[in-house]
Amino acid sequence: MEKDFEIQPSAPHYCCVTDMLGRVDSMNTLKLGEVVAKKLLEMEKAGNITGYHVLLSNIYAEEGNWVNADKVRKEMREKGLQKEVGSSWIDIGGSVARFTSKDQDHPHSDKIYEMLEGLAMEMKKSDRSPQINP
């Protein structure tokens, strides 16, 4: 990142990498993810960054450590932190459209969901459903 693109890694970059590592079952990356997530929380104490709390809670949940996952979520509630809704952006002819999960605010959301439902039906008919574990 630094060498090829001259971008200095920031806390959100480390968070993304930790999240990716936490999804890999080999090399005890869940433990690594826990250590990094806790460090990120220490670095960002003043900012109360919600994403790091969610990351740590998800790491605990992936381990099946529901006591600690619930503890982190409880801390979030006590601090008044809420997870932001994930979103995607697409640039169409110079105009950027933002989409969120179950988005009903987009002016064409009815048509978009109708199209998605049609595509899902076509995939089922042709048995070309996406492969999660190739």
Side-chain angles (χ1 to χ4, degrees):
M1 209 169 123
E2 290 175 272
K3 186 176 109 183
D4 293 344
F5 302 103
E6 298 179 8
I7 298 172
Q8 183 67 33
S10 64
H13 293 115
Y14 289 112
C15 185
C16 289
V17 171
T18 302
D19 185 45
M20 287 186 298
L21 289 173
R23 295 170 192 267
V24 178
D25 289 332
S26 63
M27 300 185 302
N28 199 15
T29 53
L30 292 174
K31 189 64 179 168
L32 172 64
E34 177 184 11
V35 170
V36 173
K38 284 181 176 179
K39 190 66 174 170
L40 287 167
L41 283 171
E42 288 174 19
M43 290 170 54
E44 298 290 338
K45 278 224 190 277
N48 287 333
I49 305 298
T50 305
Y52 303 151
H53 289 81
V54 172
L55 172 63
L56 184 57
S57 175
N58 289 347
I59 288 169
Y60 286 136
E62 184 70 26
E63 290 179 324
N65 186 341
W66 299 110
V67 171
N68 282 341
D70 290 341
K71 181 181 171 188
V72 172
R73 293 293 178 148
K74 182 180 177 189
E75 288 173 8
M76 288 176 62
R77 283 190 299 276
E78 289 171 353
K79 293 178 180 180
L81 301 176
Q82 293 184 349
K83 181 181 181 293
E84 287 185 38
V85 174
S87 60
S88 299
W89 294 266
I90 184 169
D91 184 334
I92 303 172
S95 177
V96 176
R98 179 177 181 250
F99 299 91
T100 60
S101 177
K102 299 178 183 170
D103 185 1
Q104 297 295 316
D105 293 333
H106 192 277
H108 302 291
S109 64
D110 291 343
K111 290 181 183 178
I112 292 169
Y113 284 110
E114 185 179 314
M115 174 72 75
L116 289 173
E117 190 173 318
L119 290 170
M121 296 290 277
E122 288 297 318
M123 287 172 35
K124 284 181 183 177
K125 283 186 209 173
S126 66
D127 194 35
R128 294 186 185 247
S129 55
Q131 299 296 316
I132 295 172
N133 294 323

